[in-house]
Amino acid sequence: MNGYGFRHAARMERIKLRSVRSTWWLAIAAVVSMAAAGAGVGLGYRSHTPVATAAQILNNSLGGAIAAQLLLGALGVLMVTGEYGTGMIRSTFAAVPRRRTVLVAKVAVGGGAALAVGLVASFAGYLCGQLAIRGTAIPAASLGEPAILRAVVLTGVYLGATALIGVGIGTVVRHSGAAIGTLFGLMFVPMIVAGLFGESGIAVGRFVPLLMLLNSIAVTSPIPGLFAGWISALLMCGYAATAILCGGVLLRYRDA
């Protein structure tokens, strides 16, 4: 993969990403969903008895990531399937014949954008939750505390990784509806299955994305039996790499 070819492909991907309206709507919706969840949690706890802790407010304020992950995952999917749906993918491959270069460019541009949006969304959820409890007896959650900052940052990383999983699934499936449905299924079905086993399901549940998010990543301290937040975030990045690798292998051998 030569440097010029990658720069050319990346420039094309940036133009396409900015020019598609769904990109902006999905990104805005992800930030708004996180901010709304944070504000809703803070307002709900204002008159709560007993008085909530800083950790409770933070953990629940980041709960909007459940919706945000689906929105950014869909954004990742559409970066690939949108071109297949319109037939533009043939023009892309004509301009950049090395398909691997095209996929790497999509990963770099889409991943960078999704990580930025994910971090903005995560901090929005945190800030709105904190603003909503101002003037109450509830203690503030300071970003100066490592556990607080770690939860907020890792939630943003998780959201960025979900978008990359979407890119991988989109490359494998190539159809928008089917790829988004596959992404949603992979996020929710394993959690339901793990839940059927109760406490004994923790051994499996610590590898399940949504359970990692709610009980390990977007919390100040993981529940017993789950990985530390940073390990769960790395595991999500591993899932993204696996999905992209599978997509890359199929992209090389299938017709456009």
Side-chain angles (χ1 to χ4, degrees):
M1 180 174 65
N2 88 36
Y4 173 76
F6 172 75
R7 289 194 297 272
H8 177 55
R11 185 166 58 250
M12 288 171 54
E13 293 303 324
R14 284 194 295 270
I15 293 170
K16 286 183 283 188
L17 189 66
R18 290 197 300 263
S19 62
V20 176
R21 277 183 293 182
S22 61
T23 298
W24 296 98
W25 285 116
L26 288 168
I28 290 168
V31 175
V32 169
S33 66
M34 288 288 289
V41 166
L43 292 172
Y45 271 107
R46 284 184 68 88
S47 56
H48 188 271
T49 305
V51 174
T53 65
Q56 281 179 304
I57 295 296
L58 178 74
N59 296 351
N60 289 292
S61 292
L62 297 178
I66 296 173
Q69 68 173 346
L70 301 179
L71 294 165
L72 291 182
L75 188 155
V77 165
L78 293 174
M79 278 195 70
V80 180
T81 60
E83 289 196 65
Y84 278 101
T86 61
M88 187 185 290
I89 194 69
R90 296 185 183 87
S91 300
T92 298
F93 289 152
V96 184
R98 296 178 70 90
R99 297 184 177 192
R100 184 178 63 179
T101 301
V102 172
L103 181 58
V104 171
K106 287 183 181 295
V107 168
V109 174
L115 177 60
V117 173
L119 288 170
V120 169
S122 185
F123 277 95
Y126 159 78
L127 288 171
C128 287
Q130 295 303 298
L131 288 173
I133 61 170
R134 276 195 172 180
T136 70
I138 302 171
S142 170
L143 289 175
E145 298 178 35
I148 303 294
L149 180 61
R150 182 182 64 245
V152 176
V153 171
L154 289 183
T155 299
V157 172
Y158 174 97
L159 294 174
T162 304
L164 290 180
I165 292 173
V167 171
I169 292 174
T171 307
V172 171
V173 178
R174 303 197 296 184
H175 183 277
S176 297
I180 291 173
T182 300
L183 174 70
F184 284 21
L186 289 174
M187 290 297 170
F188 287 102
V189 173
M191 181 186 71
I192 295 170
V193 173
L196 296 176
F197 295 94
E199 290 187 5
S200 60
I202 290 179
V204 175
R206 58 184 178 174
F207 294 97
V208 174
L210 196 51
L211 290 177
M212 291 193 299
L213 171 68
L214 297 176
N215 299 297
S216 173
I217 293 174
V219 292
T220 54
S221 57
I223 68 169
L226 266 71
F227 295 122
W230 67 271
I231 295 177
S232 294
L234 283 177
L235 191 55
M236 279 297 292
C237 293
Y239 291 159
T242 301
I244 291 164
L245 181 61
C246 291
V249 170
L250 292 175
L251 186 65
R252 182 177 180 182
Y253 294 107
R254 291 194 303 198
D255 293 333

